[in-house]
Amino acid sequence: MKKDDLIELTIEDLGVDGEGIGKVDGMAIFVKDAVPGDRVQAKVMKMKKSYGYARLMQVLDPSPERMEPRCAFARQCGGCQLQAMTYEAQLDFKAKKVWNHLIRIGSLTDLAKPEIIGMDDPWRYRNKAQFPFGTDKEGNPVTGFYAARSHNIIPCTECWLGVEENKVILEKILDHLKTYHISTYDEVSGKGLLRHVLVRRGKTSGQVLVVLVTAQENLPGSRNFVKALREKAPWVTSVVQNCNPRRTSAVLGSDVRTLYGPGKITDTLCGLQFAISPRSFYQVNPEQTEVLYAKAIEFAALTGKETVIDAYCGIGTIGLCAAGRAKQVIGVERNPDAVRNA
């Protein structure tokens, strides 16, 4: 086999990143977007000595585990690798991935495959999303998500994993950029103003925080922008500008100034209220976080006499959820914003 050859193969397994794996003449071929059980036609893209990579061209015989992705950009986007699989198949893949690591790396050879606890509805659950901004070939500002293994932006304001409010906010920001002729950041030249927009929404509070990440401090028309955004999206409770002048892949910088509201949101998790600042870590799936924490605390079997160390505690969600069952909790965290929130 060589580059550009068309091959047919049956997908037998998934790789660690969710790519389908089949064999041709005993050689493993990795095919992104293919599902175990699929019979596919693929185009060879790269060959190594014992394996190769191919692009999915056509599904000749679909697997029973195959479904139509809800998102129109699922194949191009680098964010979702498993949307072509049923949710039950996705859960099974994740359980096997953990199981294989425990056996291969942890040498737990007698371990039964772990049970996995899924969601009732695996859509619209992400309470945080960050969107890069750039310019298309016609010079228009665009936002969306990076294509897989690149920093090429796929123009898109809708993500089925994120909250519906994201779309309204992004479209208003794009309008503002055009109205005030505000440039978007170019990673190659280091020029331009708006780099990213980060949106956070409290699941229980409904509060929404919008963070505008800029390459310079000056943000033209910021007052008009806040006013226009609030008219379009009155549920936005805080707007913050974060200045990141460094030529780096890190999204947020250290300079933060509040344009509107308290500059943070609150949310309730496991019956406790937490403050969440722009640079503080907070689990992105609050529904499953409560399931996870409850299971972790159950396994810890606390008696009320223990000292709990919450390492890399962020705003303290795990430690504070365990605090009612322990003698004391010590949180360890280097981010001063997160420590203040905790």
Side-chain angles (χ1 to χ4, degrees), residues 11 18 55 67 79 88 110-111 128 130 213 232 263 307 318:
I11 304 301
R55 176 183 295 165
M67 64 174 289
E88 291 73 23
D110 296 328
L111 185 71
K128 173 190 173 185
Q130 52 195 38
V213 184
K232 184 75 173 179
T307 294
I318 298 176

Side-chain angles (χ1 to χ4, degrees), residues 42-72:
K43 183 178 182 179
V44 176
M45 305 306 295
K46 184 189 294 184
M47 291 302 302
K48 300 287 188 178
K49 287 185 178 180
S50 57
Y51 62 94
Y53 298 93
R55 176 183 295 165
L56 177 65
M57 303 302 290
Q58 185 180 358
V59 178
L60 304 173
D61 185 15
S63 164
E65 296 178 344
R66 172 170 285 279
M67 64 174 289
E68 187 66 27
R70 183 174 290 193
C71 177

